[in-house]
Amino acid sequence: MGTLADMVSFLDDTSAILDDIGRKVGKIQEYFNVNFNNVTAVRTDEISLLQESFFRDRNGFPSEVSRLFEKEFPPQEKIFIGELAALKTKRDGLKEELKKKDSERIRHIEKLVKDNTSLDTREEKLKKKIEELSASIEAYNRQIDELNTGFGFIINILRMRKIQRDKDALMAKRTDLVEAIESVRKEWQKDYAVMNKENEGIGDRWSDLQTELSLAEEKLAYLESNREELINKAAFLGVLNSLRGHEDFLIAQDNTEKPKKCRRCKSDNTENRFFCRYCGERFSRDRPDITGSLMETGELNDVFNSLQSGIKETVSLIALMKGMNDGVKQFRSSVKNVKKSQDTYSTLPKLKINIPPGSSEFALQIKKLNEGIKTDFINIHPADFSAPLKEITETAFTNKRIESFFTLMGDELNKRTKEQW
């Protein structure tokens, strides 16, 4: 059988492989992000120029674009009205909550003052009683002094003892009252600390509400003041987003030659005319004409959407590997604590323990995944990279399998410690 050291080593190796996967996929992700950001920047510029041109002079655009725009306007107007209504509802809700917080703050301050007054009154009453007891004690002291003068000490000793007992009782009462005052003060300090903390919480939320309400009202004012312009832009953006660059009314006027290979990443591009499907590299000079810009935007839409979709899958893989690695490191820490106890106390026997077969097989799948990830490339599409990995993760790295990987080792550790310790 194996040992705790073997289990720690197994977990170290698994963590190292997961670290390597994270490093490699992170490097690939950086490459994808650079390409995606380039495509996003070019697409944003194209859309901005087309919007400016369209609202300056629609006659320069194909009639089909104007027709699509008129068709897109009503649904965008409906969306705008819905968002405006939702924002107004949110604004009204913030106003109501702010009103309640105002009332809560006032009630809290009133309670603070009331409790303070109540505690002050209790303290003053206790102080008055202490003063009365101190006066009585002083009177006893004078009596004792008088009885203790000359031969009076011998004659009045029994009387003096009674007076002393009465005085001691009064002093005990005064001590109790002093402690009661301290208790009142501590109670006040405790209540004040609690209420002050509550007041801070109320104040913080009140401040946040003021900010949220101000932003909501500012946004509402902007939307209502620029209603037509915003709906127009949204409708035209909807038209541009719907383009794919190969619409009949566009390609009928185009004679752009398709490139065979991207000069940047050397990828084959059999369909695209203007931009590389893999890295977003521009194949030729920017088309200055409206039709060319529309075709370029349509093609950029496809490149943008496909890159974005593939990158999302890559990000999911990174998150999955990180989550698994965090779990491995946490479990490794638990095993090391058990080993520390074993090494510290000589009376404990060396624990004999095995790596469960199911856990070993799962670790082997992680190793195979790592071996299949190559970083020596420049012409792979995120979707092409993530598709086979997604298939693997959806079969080999399901939540059930991941849970089983840890559960099997945890059960083995518990079982062996109970048997041998």
Side-chain angles (χ1 to χ4, degrees), residues 2-190:
T3 64
L4 285 172
D6 294 332
M7 182 169 277
V8 171
S9 178
F10 167 76
L11 292 167
D12 281 339
D13 292 343
T14 303
S15 180
I17 294 172
L18 288 167
D19 277 334
D20 197 37
I21 292 174
R23 179 188 60 78
K24 291 197 293 188
V25 178
K27 180 180 178 181
I28 295 167
Q29 179 73 9
E30 288 179 9
Y31 170 76
F32 291 157
N33 285 342
V34 169
N35 295 338
F36 182 71
N37 290 337
N38 288 337
V39 170
T40 301
V42 175
R43 180 171 175 266
T44 300
D45 287 343
E46 290 288 346
I47 289 174
S48 178
L49 289 171
L50 285 169
Q51 280 190 327
E52 183 181 340
S53 299
F54 183 78
F55 293 115
R56 184 174 62 246
D57 181 14
R58 297 188 190 183
N59 294 325
F61 285 75
S63 59
E64 287 84 354
V65 172
S66 292
R67 181 180 58 79
L68 290 171
F69 173 76
E70 298 301 331
K71 183 179 179 181
E72 184 69 19
F73 188 91
Q76 290 298 334
E77 183 178 35
K78 184 177 181 181
I79 291 172
F80 181 89
I81 292 171
E83 290 179 350
L84 196 65
L87 189 56
K88 286 180 178 179
T89 300
K90 179 181 178 181
R91 187 267 318 271
D92 294 342
L94 289 170
K95 281 186 175 180
E96 186 62 28
E97 188 177 354
L98 188 60
K99 183 179 179 182
K100 289 180 180 178
K101 281 297 172 188
D102 274 329
S103 299
E104 190 176 347
R105 289 178 75 200
I106 293 171
R107 287 197 304 271
H108 196 272
I109 292 170
E110 288 175 347
K111 183 177 184 300
L112 203 63
V113 173
K114 181 180 178 182
D115 289 351
N116 187 15
T117 303
S118 174
L119 290 171
D120 283 347
T121 302
R122 284 172 58 189
E123 183 174 338
E124 288 304 316
K125 287 181 178 179
L126 290 171
K127 284 180 179 178
K128 187 174 181 180
K129 288 182 179 180
I130 289 174
E131 290 175 0
E132 292 172 355
L133 288 173
S134 296
S136 298
I137 291 169
E138 184 59 31
Y140 278 115
N141 285 336
R142 287 196 298 270
Q143 289 184 53
I144 291 172
D145 289 341
E146 291 173 0
L147 294 172
N148 197 28
T149 303
F151 291 104
F153 171 75
I154 298 173
I155 300 170
N156 299 313
I157 188 168
L158 294 178
R159 188 179 174 190
M160 287 169 57
R161 284 177 180 175
K162 182 179 182 305
I163 293 172
Q164 184 63 45
R165 285 196 301 271
D166 292 342
K167 173 190 168 184
D168 290 343
L170 291 176
M171 291 183 69
K173 285 183 180 180
R174 187 176 67 174
T175 300
D176 290 341
L177 290 173
V178 171
E179 291 178 354
I181 288 178
E182 287 300 314
S183 177
V184 169
R185 288 175 177 173
K186 287 179 180 178
E187 182 181 342
W188 163 240
Q189 290 172 355
K190 181 181 177 181

Side-chain angles (χ1 to χ4, degrees), residues 396-417:
F397 302 115
T398 62
N399 289 338
K400 185 176 180 180
R401 287 179 178 270
I402 294 172
E403 183 180 352
S404 177
F405 170 72
F406 293 107
T407 301
L408 289 170
M409 288 189 293
D411 290 345
E412 172 72 3
L413 186 62
N414 290 333
K415 178 182 177 182
R416 298 307 176 188
T417 52

Side-chain angles (χ1 to χ4, degrees), residues 173-211:
K173 285 183 180 180
R174 187 176 67 174
T175 300
D176 290 341
L177 290 173
V178 171
E179 291 178 354
I181 288 178
E182 287 300 314
S183 177
V184 169
R185 288 175 177 173
K186 287 179 180 178
E187 182 181 342
W188 163 240
Q189 290 172 355
K190 181 181 177 181
D191 288 350
Y192 181 80
V194 172
M195 287 187 286
N196 190 48
K197 188 175 181 180
E198 290 175 353
N199 194 43
E200 286 179 2
I202 295 171
D204 290 343
R205 181 54 186 156
W206 183 86
S207 179
D208 290 343
L209 285 170
Q210 286 277 34
T211 302

